[in-house]
Amino acid sequence: YSPHYFDHLVWMFNMRKYLLYVLIISFVLLCHPIIHAEEPRINLRSSFRYLSVFQVQSMSNVSIRKKHNGGFDGYGTIKHVYETKAIEGCKVVIDHATGLMWHQSGSNECMEWDKARDWVWGLNEMGYAGYNDWELPTVEEAISLLESSKKNDKLYIAPVFGNKQKWIWTGDRYDSGDMWYWHVHFEFGE
């Protein structure tokens, strides 16, 4: 045993403590988070219903500029996380915020509701993008696409979508008893 040996051990112990402290601080300051918390998905109603004007004007995730007899002028407040993708040669837009997949451009022609329903059935028959469960959106789903300002060739819809669709049919009906279906205008933001 030598007194220098004891001093050396104390010095080594203190140095190890210091190095451990430096390593911990470096790790905390230089590393990215290992676990990324995923934002909760926004669930929108997906089943069709009869809806009054009041019910449409009272939907969540909507900011209304002006109410009127046929609905409202406004936009969806959801912070979308869009991804454009080609699946089996078919162009789609995936919204990671809602979990919905959209046809990127819609039909090339303007059509009445029953023709739009048939067009969607055609997508299912051909297995568009590998899926056969395409359907018209609910009012809530369609309204979520409305942007607060014109972004896509003078339309209130994100530029990830085609710019030919001035409006979109939904599967929801007016509660008036008529055979009218709700639709959302991207041209006017209503």
Side-chain angles (χ1 to χ4, degrees):
Y1 171 80
S2 109
H4 296 292
Y5 181 73
F6 180 75
D7 290 338
H8 182 71
L9 285 176
V10 169
W11 179 84
M12 282 182 55
F13 176 76
N14 287 335
M15 185 57 99
R16 281 186 184 168
K17 219 166 66 172
Y18 174 76
L19 286 174
L20 183 60
Y21 177 76
V22 169
L23 285 173
I24 290 171
I25 295 298
S26 298
F27 184 77
V28 170
L29 295 177
L30 300 176
C31 286
H32 296 286
I34 295 170
I35 300 173
H36 297 283
E38 194 174 304
E39 298 237 357
R41 184 174 284 169
I42 298 165
N43 292 316
L44 301 174
R45 180 180 53 83
S46 61
S47 57
F48 303 136
R49 293 181 17 198
Y50 286 88
L51 297 171
S52 68
V53 171
F54 175 77
Q55 287 172 307
V56 169
Q57 292 173 342
S58 302
M59 289 185 171
S60 60
N61 302 314
V62 172
S63 180
I64 297 177
R65 288 187 199 101
K66 178 184 170 189
K67 292 181 180 182
H68 50 77
N69 292 342
F72 66 85
D73 296 343
Y75 56 93
T77 58
I78 295 172
K79 184 178 178 185
H80 295 283
V81 182
Y82 291 129
E83 173 189 2
T84 56
K85 198 170 193 176
I87 302 174
E88 297 181 10
C90 304
K91 294 180 181 179
V92 296
V93 175
I94 299 169
D95 182 2
H96 294 283
T98 62
L100 296 173
M101 181 185 292
W102 297 90
H103 191 287
Q104 187 181 26
S105 60
S107 168
N108 289 326
E109 59 186 74
C110 181
M111 57 185 72
E112 296 294 324
W113 184 88
D114 57 338
K115 298 261 188 212
R117 180 199 57 209
D118 293 345
W119 184 80
V120 171
W121 284 349
L123 293 177
N124 289 325
E125 285 178 10
M126 69 186 280
Y128 188 83
Y131 293 89
N132 59 3
D133 60 350
W134 293 93
E135 58 184 32
L136 293 171
T138 63
V139 171
E140 194 174 8
E141 291 168 336
I143 287 172
S144 80
L145 299 177
L146 285 172
E147 293 286 335
S148 61
S149 61
K150 291 185 177 184
K151 299 188 185 255
N152 188 358
D153 194 30
K154 301 182 183 175
L155 298 178
Y156 289 93
I157 190 168
V160 297
F161 292 98
N163 60 5
K164 293 181 183 178
Q165 299 298 312
K166 307 290 186 211
W167 49 277
I168 185 173
W169 284 109
T170 75
D172 289 326
R173 291 185 178 192
Y174 283 90
D175 74 345
S176 64
D178 295 327
M179 293 297 290
W180 294 357
Y181 289 85
W182 284 98
H183 56 279
V184 172
H185 280 272
F186 301 123
E187 187 174 20
F188 305 117
E190 61 179 16

